[in-house]
Amino acid sequence: MNVSVCTISFRHMLLSFADIAQYVHEQQFQAIELWGVHARSLSQGGAAVIEHCLSLLKLYHIEVSMISDYIDVSPQADRNASILKCDELIALAHQFGTNKIRTFAGKAASQSVNSHEREMIVNHLQIIGDRCAAAGIMLLIETHPYTLADHTESTLQLMKEVRHDAVKVNLDFLHLWEAGDDPLASYVQLQNWVENFHLKNITSLENCKVFDSNNVYAPSGSRSGIVPLSDGQVDYTSILRAIHKSGKNASLEWFGDDPLRYLAQDRQWIQHIV
């Protein structure tokens, strides 16, 4: 199992790609999961910047595991705009040498979406999936609150409805636990579609609200309850022992303070566990 650092962890820090690549190498990670904002900024620097990034990846024997961004597939979405966004992310994935992009399945909780709205989202994902497949890219749907993949049953149903070889799952264990599901049982049910894992932990269910986008992207937002993998309510000892031979990539997301310290600490703990 490869282990990645999510660059969204550094969203409030001034770090260059060279700084991140060196850190990833020194802490014995195998890859970098590039947040779309960061990938787009690097790409806008031109061919020389991209060439420099690729040379650093080669130097440190690491790779970009995935581009993580957001394609709007909600019923209200402008489909032409979504297709353009998808094409942009495909181009970024090709530039950085990865075959995976991450998105969400809409913007509303599965229980609040009617059958017609759900059908529209499914159809939209199939259209985006076709574009990804034609480009040799996998589209990963993250298990996440306020989407059609907000719990295991709905995610499983979604994969069966979309029925697309290029549309897979980015399994975030904490968010399925947050939904009341057993993370390991969820993995067993979804493993035929899972292509990436997101790992993070929390001290209590009540603190999960810190991961709401309005809070987590705010530099002054609350970080209450965010803890290393070993210390929270989600049992990552059992999870890691179940997934470490999967051959898939696991990405560490750290939304708290001092990410360089805590990501390194989590990496060492993972090494110890597996």
Side-chain angles (χ1 to χ4, degrees):
M1 181 182 73
N2 285 345
V3 184
S4 293
V5 165
C6 294
T7 67
I8 196 172
S9 304
F10 311 123
R11 66 203 178 284
H12 301 310
M13 296 180 69
L14 292 175
L15 290 178
S16 68
F17 188 85
D19 293 331
I20 295 171
Q22 182 176 353
Y23 172 80
V24 165
H25 170 70
E26 290 174 348
Q27 300 302 327
Q28 299 182 21
F29 290 92
Q30 286 79 40
I32 296 169
E33 182 179 311
L34 260 183
W35 192 28
V37 172
H38 294 150
R40 195 170 296 110
S41 178
L42 291 166
S43 179
Q44 289 169 352
V49 171
I50 295 295
E51 184 178 343
H52 178 59
C53 292
L54 296 177
S55 69
L56 289 168
L57 295 172
K58 184 177 180 180
L59 172 66
Y60 292 126
H61 304 287
I62 56 178
E63 62 184 7
V64 171
S65 57
M66 183 161 67
I67 305 291
S68 290
D69 209 282
Y70 318 93
I71 302 170
D72 189 0
V73 295
S74 61
Q76 302 79 19
D78 180 328
R79 294 207 170 189
N80 289 331
S82 297
I83 288 172
L84 288 174
K85 182 68 174 290
C86 178
D87 289 348
E88 177 197 26
L89 293 175
I90 288 171
L92 289 171
H94 286 160
Q95 283 184 312
F96 288 99
T98 183
N99 67 342
K100 294 189 286 292
I101 59 178
R102 190 287 315 261
T103 192
F104 292 166
K107 298 180 178 180
S110 59
Q111 291 184 343
S112 70
V113 174
N114 63 41
S115 59
H116 176 64
E117 291 169 331
R118 187 177 182 105
E119 184 178 348
M120 291 178 70
I121 294 172
V122 167
N123 179 254
H124 205 158
L125 287 171
Q126 290 169 333
I127 292 170
I128 298 298
D130 286 343
R131 298 189 81 82
C132 288
I137 299 294
M138 286 187 285
L139 179 70
L140 273 56
I141 308 300
E142 181 163 327
T143 54
H144 200 279
Y146 307 111
T147 72
L148 289 191
D150 56 2
H151 61 86
T152 304
E153 183 181 351
S154 184
T155 307
L156 185 61
Q157 179 185 344
L158 181 64
M159 289 298 103
K160 292 178 178 179
E161 289 168 335
V162 175
R163 298 191 316 276
H164 201 298
D165 289 341
V167 180
K168 303 294 184 180
V169 171
N170 179 52
L171 197 160
D172 188 308
F173 288 102
L174 180 142
H175 288 317
L176 291 181
W177 171 83
E178 178 184 2
D181 295 338
D182 180 293
L184 276 179
S186 299
Y187 171 55
V188 171
Q189 289 181 269
L190 294 168
Q191 62 182 327
N192 289 339
W193 292 275
V194 173
E195 286 294 334
N196 197 79
F197 305 103
H198 269 184
L199 314 180
K200 56 180 177 283
N201 219 337
I202 198 77
T203 55
S204 69
L205 187 62
E206 291 73 23
N207 284 125
C208 284
K209 62 182 180 294
V210 300
F211 297 118
D212 290 352
S213 59
N214 288 339
N215 177 74
V216 85
Y217 295 138
S220 60
S222 171
R223 307 295 180 246
S224 178
I226 298 175
V227 291
L229 296 181
S230 58
D231 297 345
Q233 289 295 308
V234 181
D235 177 12
Y236 276 105
T237 298
S238 298
I239 288 170
L240 288 166
R241 288 174 177 165
I243 70 173
H244 82 279
K245 292 184 179 179
S246 67
K248 308 302 181 184
N249 181 80
S251 302
L252 296 184
E253 283 190 305
W254 179 258
F255 290 112
D257 297 325
D258 203 358
L260 295 174
R261 171 189 170 192
Y262 286 106
L263 288 168
Q265 181 178 321
D266 274 347
R267 181 68 186 105
Q268 292 170 8
W269 184 74
I270 290 173
Q271 288 279 78
H272 172 71
I273 292 298
V274 303

